[in-house]
Amino acid sequence: MLAMNYRGPLRVRIDEKPMPKILHPQDAIVRVTRSCICGSDLHLYNGNVPDTRVGSTFGHEFTGIVEEIGSEVTKVKVGDHVLVPFNISCGQCAFCKQELYGNCHESNPEATAVGAIFGYSHTAGGYDGGQAEYVRVPYANVGPTIIPEGMDPDDAVLLTDVVPTGYQAAEMAGIQKGDTVVVFGAGPIGIMAAKCAWLFGAGRVMIIDKIEYRLEFAKNYSQCEAYNYESVGDPVLFIKKATDWMGADVVIDAVGAEATGNAMQTITGRKLLLQAGSATALHWAINSVKKGGIVSIVGVYGPTDNLVPIGNVLNKGLTIRANQASVKRLLPRLIEHVQAGRINPKGLITHRIPLEEVSEAYRMFSQKLDNCIKPILIPPR
Ligand code: NAD
Ligand code: ZN
């Protein structure tokens, strides 16, 4: 089968790889119909995630058709059209039982921090991902969800990550009616978080980035104010001024590690990697939220990105909430929001690219070319 193949930082290509096999009675093999590239893939692509092995296949946002099932799979059958949450969750461990599906223990028992994620390095379990024609889906009684009758598959594929992550960012922020919400990062996640902030009763939503086309897109899609941090001067001061010097009620970080330095810095050696941890957006978030406010972090950081101004967190009495989205927990209510037209996931998709052109797709998405918001890869058939 054809699959994306990681060859080292900034190098990915399409290759022939062996077909995945059922390795456990609860596995399914899914023939991929759509697979997105995510901002999280860029951390891998840029060489920021430890133990990203050459030869692995990325891709944690995909839909497909069940091709084969193991003997213990009962929740899906061959031929079902499914969307597959990016978290790999056993459904049985103490964390899954609390619906913390992004923090499953069984699927990645050796990790101290992260649960397992499709196509997200050996740090996240070493499972191959869905930027391929076929993918092995472990714990197939837990994650894969049959795409509801009548739902556009382009909407479905964004329910595997972007919608739940944006929604959970707003949920974790504990937005109260009338709150001023600031979102750092106008990528798909930040745009979705800004959109969802209204569902929680926000009174004012501001999004901050430096890429004009993304700010323009966010303004229209999320009906929010959009500001370029390169033209407002000091973004912290700007937010203070815009909020009568109180600070925003809540701030969402939808940026993550890319703000800590460019890819070249991080791939030229461990020493530079350690120096790269400045976490700009996170500093701005902590410094621009009001005293006693909440900072909600969904941007992904590597283990070295920990130079946060913790003294300001203490002195301001802040609450910091952060997690991988718990996709399965959120799916029922998000499917309702989509069906009711309150969220329009496919409105984020700007590019449909043949899987064979994966290398070019990564280049375009990582360099934010061609007004790209969200690209999806389409395998041949
Ligand atoms: P993206 O790369 O498309 O967008 C990131 C945006 O941040 C870009 O538009 C960039 O210009 C902007 N940016 C960079 N530095 C900034 C700064 N200092 N201030 C404001 N904006 C800045 O990525 P995406 O797909 O939107 O994902 C965003 C983040 O969310 C990534 O870190 C990704 O790994 C993470 N993510 C987390 C989860 C989760 O479950 N927690 C799930 C998916 C994605
Ligand atoms: Zn993703």
Side-chain angles (χ1 to χ4, degrees):
M1 67 159 181
L2 288 176
M4 174 273 193
N5 184 344
Y6 174 70
R7 307 308 303 159
L10 308 184
R11 285 190 298 141
V12 302
R13 71 181 186 216
I14 191 78
D15 263 332
E16 270 296 326
K17 282 180 103 177
M19 280 285 290
K21 290 195 176 64
I22 300 270
L23 301 178
H24 184 279
Q26 287 168 28
D27 286 352
I29 303 297
V30 168
R31 176 168 73 75
V32 177
T33 49
R34 281 165 179 71
S35 182
C36 305
I37 304 180
C38 173
S40 295
D41 291 321
L42 300 180
H43 308 311
L44 301 164
Y45 179 70
N46 290 334
N48 283 335
V49 180
D51 211 3
T52 304
R53 298 189 191 167
V54 166
S56 51
T57 294
F58 303 166
H60 57 269
E61 305 180 3
F62 57 90
T63 55
I65 300 170
V66 178
E67 179 85 6
E68 193 186 344
I69 53 174
S71 59
E72 290 176 17
V73 175
T74 54
K75 293 278 168 64
V76 292
K77 57 184 189 312
V78 171
D80 281 345
H81 288 244
V82 290
L83 64 93
V84 181
F86 77 87
N87 330 104
I88 301 178
S89 325
C90 75
Q92 299 295 325
C93 71
F95 304 106
C96 285
K97 284 197 173 135
Q98 296 173 66
E99 296 195 305
L100 293 166
Y101 293 105
N103 310 103
C104 173
H105 179 67
E106 280 309 310
S107 58
N108 193 13
E110 287 171 26
T112 50
V114 71
I117 299 172
F118 285 98
Y120 213 74
S121 83
H122 278 68
T123 307
Y127 299 87
D128 266 338
Q131 290 168 7
E133 288 185 279
Y134 295 87
V135 58
R136 177 172 80 94
V137 175
Y139 306 106
N141 290 325
V142 182
T145 301
I146 295 173
I147 298 175
E149 189 76 27
M151 177 176 280
D152 188 322
D154 283 351
D155 284 330
V157 76
L158 293 188
L159 283 169
T160 63
D161 182 340
V162 172
V163 183
T165 301
Y167 184 90
Q168 186 168 312
E171 182 192 50
M172 288 192 301
I175 298 165
Q176 305 287 313
K177 201 165 167 24
D179 271 357
T180 294
V181 178
V182 171
V183 180
F184 282 100
I189 300 295
I191 292 172
M192 187 53 69
K195 177 82 187 167
C196 291
W198 298 114
L199 299 176
F200 288 89
R204 182 178 186 189
V205 181
M206 301 158 79
I207 200 164
I208 297 179
D209 201 300
K210 64 168 181 248
I211 302 176
E212 278 299 332
Y213 82 79
R214 289 188 156 206
L215 291 166
E216 217 30 60
F217 191 100
K219 226 190 282 180
N220 295 324
Y221 183 93
S222 312
Q223 305 283 292
C224 62
E225 299 166 46
Y227 299 101
N228 188 325
Y229 66 78
E230 290 186 331
S231 34
V232 299
D234 176 355
V236 174
L237 207 58
F238 174 76
I239 292 165
K240 288 269 176 77
K241 276 188 193 157
T243 55
D244 279 338
W245 300 98
M246 296 300 280
D249 296 301
V250 301
V251 181
I252 293 169
D253 170 0
V255 177
E258 260 52 43
T260 64
N262 65 40
M264 293 322 290
Q265 266 183 309
T266 56
I267 63 177
T268 44
R270 182 146 183 83
K271 214 166 164 198
L272 269 175
L273 177 73
L274 290 172
Q275 288 167 356
S278 65
T280 319
L282 185 52
H283 280 238
W284 289 343
I286 288 169
N287 293 332
S288 61
V289 75
K290 72 178 181 190
K291 291 175 191 167
I294 298 179
V295 175
S296 166
I297 307 172
V298 285
V300 163
Y301 288 94
T304 57
D305 300 309
N306 55 6
L307 303 176
V308 298
I310 199 71
N312 292 0
V313 174
L314 174 87
N315 289 330
K316 292 174 76 174
L318 302 187
T319 300
I320 307 265
R321 301 196 64 198
N323 209 344
Q324 299 283 350
S326 181
V327 178
K328 185 179 162 72
R329 174 178 69 84
L330 294 169
L331 273 179
R333 81 185 79 161
L334 293 177
I335 286 171
E336 257 183 60
H337 280 310
V338 173
Q339 286 173 333
R342 288 185 289 268
I343 302 177
N344 163 26
K346 66 173 179 290
L348 291 176
I349 297 171
T350 50
H351 291 71
R352 313 171 74 81
I353 303 166
L355 174 66
E356 296 92 314
E357 294 168 26
V358 68
S359 167
E360 179 51 26
Y362 267 86
R363 196 183 70 86
M364 178 195 61
F365 183 60
S366 67
Q367 296 180 22
K368 318 297 188 218
L369 305 174
D370 201 25
N371 291 349
C372 184
I373 302 289
K374 189 73 179 173
I376 56 175
L377 299 166
I378 312 288
R381 204 345 112 113

